[in-house]
Amino acid sequence: MIPDWYLPSVLRLLELTVQANVSFRIAVCIPTSLRLFQSYLNAIINERFCPHTKKWLWYRWCNIAVPILLLFEISFCTLFTINTIRQDYQILYKISFNLFIISALLHMTACTAVTIYRRNEKNQTIDQISIIVKLLCLITFGIVTPQVTIFHNTFIDSPTCHYYVPPYQALCEYILIISNALFHLTIITDTRNLRFLIYPRTCSGECEPVNPENFRKGGKFEHCRSQYHLNKKKLMNNMKMKETTF
């Protein structure tokens, strides 16, 4: 008999219900490449604020490790997402779940340290809020991680037929998931000012450096190249129509 005051466990829902499992697979697998690319870009940005001295060697190591740890986190999360306890490999699920927790904690620690200690003179309010949120999420995640890991490992070893757990255990799971998700959302603020430059191409198709002289009035890139070719094509078509008419 399940007490009425028990709450549903998210991790057990992912195991026991098809809808939750499929939704979680989609949420984890689809944005994988974008998250890795964003982490790589963030590492490049952080490298600009790192003095190339022996004193800051640990910073460079942490900065390099952040995308790698995120790759491990996503990989292990994907493994225990697509692998189930009852129908697949129980030991693989257990290993991937525990390694996901470890890699997530290491990634959050390294990313927070890199964000806090980077030297940026133009630190805005949104950056300070992002650092505070990262730090709070890291502390919260670290506090509830042992409880969630131990309790869920007991479920992995002896699966039950329902997903209801005591309120304290359920709240720990909710806090762990929310803190991890909120931490990853703060990464968006770190790359909010990133811009991509599209280099104009020459007639041969090769890229050439952006020279301000080329974009001034009278320069070869004064007008949009695509619009220039479009106008030229229209002019050629009009000339052909006139020749046909005569």
Side-chain angles (χ1 to χ4, degrees):
M1 185 66 181
I2 303 173
D4 296 335
W5 46 275
Y6 271 29
L7 296 176
S9 167
V10 177
L11 294 175
R12 297 190 183 190
L13 274 170
L14 300 177
E15 171 64 26
L16 298 175
T17 61
V18 177
Q19 294 85 354
N21 186 270
V22 172
S23 301
F24 189 56
R25 291 184 186 187
I26 295 173
V28 170
C29 297
I30 289 181
T32 296
S33 57
L34 179 61
R35 292 174 62 189
L36 291 173
F37 180 63
Q38 190 176 19
S39 179
Y40 173 73
L41 294 178
N42 196 27
I44 295 176
I45 295 174
N46 291 334
E47 189 178 359
R48 296 173 52 229
F49 305 107
C50 175
H52 291 278
T53 59
K54 189 176 181 180
K55 180 181 177 181
W56 288 84
L57 183 61
W58 68 271
Y59 184 94
R60 292 196 293 272
W61 285 354
C62 288
N63 190 41
I64 295 173
V66 168
I68 300 174
L69 292 173
L70 180 62
L71 175 61
F72 288 151
E73 178 184 349
I74 295 175
S75 300
F76 293 131
C77 184
T78 304
L79 275 178
F80 93 82
T81 300
I82 64 178
N83 189 74
T84 58
I85 300 173
R86 299 171 184 269
Q87 300 179 1
D88 296 311
Y89 303 98
Q90 182 179 5
I91 186 65
L92 180 60
Y93 181 95
K94 186 174 184 178
I95 293 173
S96 58
F97 171 75
N98 288 284
L99 290 178
F100 161 72
I101 294 294
I102 295 172
S103 58
L105 186 60
L106 291 176
H107 170 259
M108 294 173 70
T109 304
C111 186
T112 304
V114 168
T115 307
I116 291 176
Y117 283 96
R118 72 180 180 187
R119 293 185 174 181
N120 187 0
E121 297 179 357
K122 299 180 180 179
N123 206 1
Q124 300 178 357
T125 305
I126 189 172
D127 297 316
Q128 298 174 357
I129 295 174
S130 176
I131 292 173
I132 294 173
V133 173
K134 281 186 176 69
L135 192 58
L136 292 176
C137 290
L138 172 61
I139 296 173
T140 306
F141 189 88
I143 292 174
V144 299
T145 290
Q147 186 66 32
V148 174
T149 305
I150 294 172
F151 187 74
H152 192 60
N153 278 321
T154 59
F155 171 76
I156 297 174
D157 296 331
S158 301
T160 58
C161 59
H162 64 87
Y163 46 78
Y164 290 98
V165 296
Y168 175 73
Q169 304 294 342
L171 290 175
C172 286
E173 286 188 14
Y174 301 159
I175 294 172
L176 182 137
I177 295 171
I178 293 173
S179 61
N180 184 263
L182 188 60
F183 182 91
H184 285 287
L185 286 176
T186 59
I187 305 298
I188 299 175
T189 62
D190 298 335
T191 55
R192 68 186 185 279
N193 295 323
L194 193 64
R195 300 291 184 271
F196 290 94
L197 294 178
I198 301 177
Y199 285 79
R201 293 183 176 273
T202 59
C203 296
S204 61
E206 299 175 353
C207 293
E208 63 179 48
V210 176
N211 186 2
E213 297 292 336
N214 294 331
F215 295 91
R216 293 179 181 176
K217 190 172 182 179
K220 56 182 177 180
F221 297 126
E222 177 185 359
H223 305 287
C224 178
R225 189 168 180 268
S226 59
Q227 186 65 34
Y228 170 76
H229 283 282
L230 184 61
N231 294 336
K232 186 176 180 181
K233 187 176 181 180
K234 288 182 179 179
L235 181 62
M236 295 295 293
N237 291 335
N238 291 335
M239 292 179 63
K240 288 181 180 179
M241 290 178 62
K242 290 181 180 179
E243 291 177 358
T244 305
T245 303
F246 288 118

